[in-house]
Amino acid sequence: MKKTMGIVGSIALCLIAVSANSQQTWDAKKNATVDSITSHYAGKYLTPGPALTTADIFPVIGKYGSATGADAATVIITLDEQNKGFVWIEGLPQGKFKAMLRKSPATYKIPAQKTEEGKEVAEGTLIFDKETNTLNICIGKIYSTEDPASAFAAPVEEPVTIVKTSKTKKAVQPKPWMYTGTKLVTETVAN
């Protein structure tokens, strides 16, 4: 019984398919509704822009030069191969170290870490300004999630009161290390 119902169902489907194919097909060019809609929007379509490149998505990647500071003449920032949220920074006196993307497209936190050369790198901030092509790195100040650019602000000087105590030494905060560089743009020649 099931076999017979299956055969009858298959035949019915075939007949429906044949009758559907024998009907007229719909042509959008001969439809008044389609004509009125397309005429209303004619010429208003936007053409898609070029596809985004890795440099467009991660503008911090590149080579930087600094006119000031003999410590770092050229800094190279590359994208981590396994995790796109990390970049590697080379060319600074601290050695090669990593930074983590915090605010897209170009605000990074430098975590406290030990470089491959064995040097200690304190926590810091890296910010790239896309409009001016300027890279700012501050090592030695804690990254602020509310205002990352505050790491580059001048420290507020508080009045110092000297009180003499017996054999009390105050811990000295190390001065933050700063780097400012401009992105070296390589121009390509087109034929």
Side-chain angles (χ1 to χ4, degrees):
M1 180 74 171
K2 288 184 181 178
K3 198 175 199 183
T4 307
M5 290 297 282
I7 292 172
V8 171
S10 298
I11 292 172
L13 286 175
C14 289
L15 289 175
I16 292 171
V18 169
S19 67
N21 284 338
S22 65
Q23 292 178 357
Q24 258 185 340
T25 58
W26 181 74
D27 187 12
K29 294 178 184 175
K30 296 179 183 176
N31 188 307
T33 305
V34 173
D35 286 341
S36 67
I37 291 171
T38 55
S39 66
H40 180 69
Y41 293 106
K44 295 182 182 178
Y45 296 114
L46 296 175
T47 57
L52 292 176
T53 63
T54 304
D56 293 332
I57 298 168
F58 302 102
V60 74
I61 296 171
K63 195 179 234 186
Y64 297 87
S66 176
T68 60
D71 288 343
T74 302
V75 173
I76 300 171
I77 299 179
T78 55
L79 195 60
D80 188 77
E81 294 175 4
Q82 284 126 7
N83 188 342
K84 303 274 189 236
F86 289 103
V87 292
W88 288 98
I89 303 156
E90 296 180 70
L92 296 176
Q94 291 83 357
K96 182 178 178 180
F97 57 93
K98 67 180 173 184
M100 302 181 299
L101 180 64
R102 286 294 178 213
K103 289 185 181 178
S104 194
T107 301
Y108 291 80
K109 174 185 178 182
I110 300 169
Q113 59 193 287
K114 196 170 195 174
T115 65
E116 294 173 353
E117 295 85 21
K119 294 182 180 180
E120 293 288 332
V121 177
E123 186 172 329
T125 306
L126 178 149
I127 296 178
F128 175 68
D129 185 0
K130 194 173 180 179
E131 292 157 2
T132 61
N133 275 346
T134 304
L135 175 71
N136 292 306
I137 298 175
C138 175
I139 298 174
K141 279 190 179 179
I142 296 176
Y143 177 83
S144 170
T145 55
E146 291 84 30
D147 185 19
S150 66
F152 303 101
V156 178
E157 294 292 327
E158 295 181 15
V160 178
T161 306
I162 300 174
V163 178
K164 290 187 178 183
T165 60
S166 62
K167 297 185 182 182
T168 305
K169 291 186 178 181
K170 188 176 180 181
V172 178
Q173 281 284 47
K175 186 177 178 183
W177 188 88
M178 301 283 200
Y179 171 83
T180 301
T182 306
K183 193 169 193 175
L184 303 174
V185 180
T186 56
E187 296 181 18
T188 57
V189 179
N191 290 336

